[in-house]
Every structure is written in structure tokens, then in C-alpha cells.
Amino acid sequence: MIGIFDSGVGGMTVAHAVENLLPEYRVLYFGDLARTPYGTKSQETIIKYSIQNTEFLLDNGAKVIIIACNSAASVASEILRERFSVPIFEVITPAIDKAIKTTKSGRVGIIGTRATIRSGVYEKKINGKSPELQVFSTACPLLVPLVEEGWTDKRETAMILRRYLYPLKLKQIDTLVLGCTHYPLLKELIQPRIGKKSVTLIDSSVEVAMSVRDYLIKNSKVADLLEANGENIYYSSDLTEAAETTAMKIFGREVHLRKV
Ligand code: DGL
């Protein structure tokens, strides 16, 4: 199984992209709804939770792990790779590679939670590969609760987005990385406010799914370990009505969330 974890249901944007691109493999998802959000927590706590989540997925049959949470990926990826021997993917690297390929002006914007932006991981990784690029980032802490509240098409959300995106607009970026699992659900509000034609949005959920697909094509031994056929399983450490509604919005169908 392909094990995917996130701090909540937002990471289902990644699970959805994986289901679409790799329908032949089973997905095992864990959303840590009981301890969400991660984006406001200390690095130490996020690392501890990420280790526990990975252990849970491995104990339940995952052979490949995807860290579907930017906040966890930004502080825990290296530690998880040192500690566990299975292939570990995360949402940041593929999004960065895509952003580098996409930008023409060399001005890239990043939006994410406080933990992600504070870690500076996007700047470090982008400039590690392409030092000539200019990276501008903004933390958008109000967006996750708005998405979880289901306010993905509300005027108030649009107003807040305009305010968050304005500094990036002034920097004349031509590429914007959606550095948080929840932001793909706001694409339609984000695109016109940052620039309809002038700015390309990078959706890390799609990018990580593509990088896993490429890896499995090249590494058939790992691919053979993954179970083909059988239902996908979605676990959550808590169940709430809002989570079920968000999950439904992401998949466009009802999703059976199991409490663990
Ligand atoms: N999943 C988190 C991320 O992608 C957003 C929600 C949270 O703060 O836990 O950064």
C-alpha cells in the first residue's frame, strides 16, 4: 500500500491525486485530525507526530510513505528518511522542481502555514538548485481554518486572500507554489487575485503523485511490494462533520473515514 499522512483531511488532495494517477495501487491514509493543525506547532512536536504517523502506516502495511503535509515535510522529511528504510516522498521537492521549470521571470512566490514559511525550506531548496531565482514567501495562517469551515467560495475568504497575496503581486511573481495541503481547494479564488494569466499555480498534490508514479515505473521491485487491488483505507484520529464535508469536497464523493 501507498501510505499517506497529513495533519488532517487536507492531505486528501494528495490521496486524490494518487488515486487518479496510480489507480492500480492501494492507498492507506492517515489524517491526524485529533492533533491538527501542525502548522502552528513547534518543530519538535511536528517531528514527534510525523514519526508516530509513519510508524502507524508501516505497521498497517505501507511500503512507501508520502508526507502529504507541508508543515511536516518542511521539518521532518530528513529525520524520517534517516529513521525508516522505505522510500519517503514529500510534497515540497516535486513542487520546487516544477516551479523552477515553470518560472520565466525568475520570481517565485510561496504561500504556506507559519511552520512551513518559518522553516525557510522552500527558499533553501529552490536557491540550492537555482541560486539565480528570487523567492518571496508569505505565511497565510487564516486559510486552513477557512477551508476547514467550508468557506472555499466566500467573499470573506476572497478578501483575506487578496490581502495575503498583495505583497506577492507587488513582487511581480510569475509562479506561485501552493505550499499547503488545503490551498488547492482555494485555487479558484487564488488564481484571479494573483493574476489570471500572468501567474502559474503549482499544486504540490499533483506534483508529488507524479513523482511517485515516475519512481515506481523505474523501481519495479518496490512497485511489486505494493498491493494492487483492494479498497483504499482512510483513517483519522478524530471524526468531525467538517472533516467529512471537506473530504467529500476533495474527492467529489462520499469517503468512509475510520476512526483510529
Ligand atoms: N497539512 C498542513 C500543511 O500542509 C496544513 C494544516 C495544518 O496546519 O496542520 O501545511
Side-chain angles (χ1 to χ4, degrees), residues 6-7 36-39 68-71 113 116 144 179-182:
D6 178 42
S7 56
T36 203
Y38 283 11
C69 173
N70 277 264
S71 307
T113 63
T116 299
V144 167
C180 174
T181 49
H182 290 55

Side-chain angles (χ1 to χ4, degrees), residues 194-209:
I194 191 67
K196 217 175 231 155
K197 296 214 174 90
S198 53
V199 178
T200 306
L201 301 186
I202 308 289
D203 177 346
S204 44
S205 57
V206 176
E207 296 311 316
V208 71

Side-chain angles (χ1 to χ4, degrees), residues 53-74:
N53 299 344
T54 305
E55 279 168 349
F56 171 77
L57 291 171
L58 295 176
D59 288 348
N60 284 279
K63 302 289 184 228
V64 166
I65 300 290
I66 304 178
I67 311 171
C69 173
N70 277 264
S71 307
S74 60

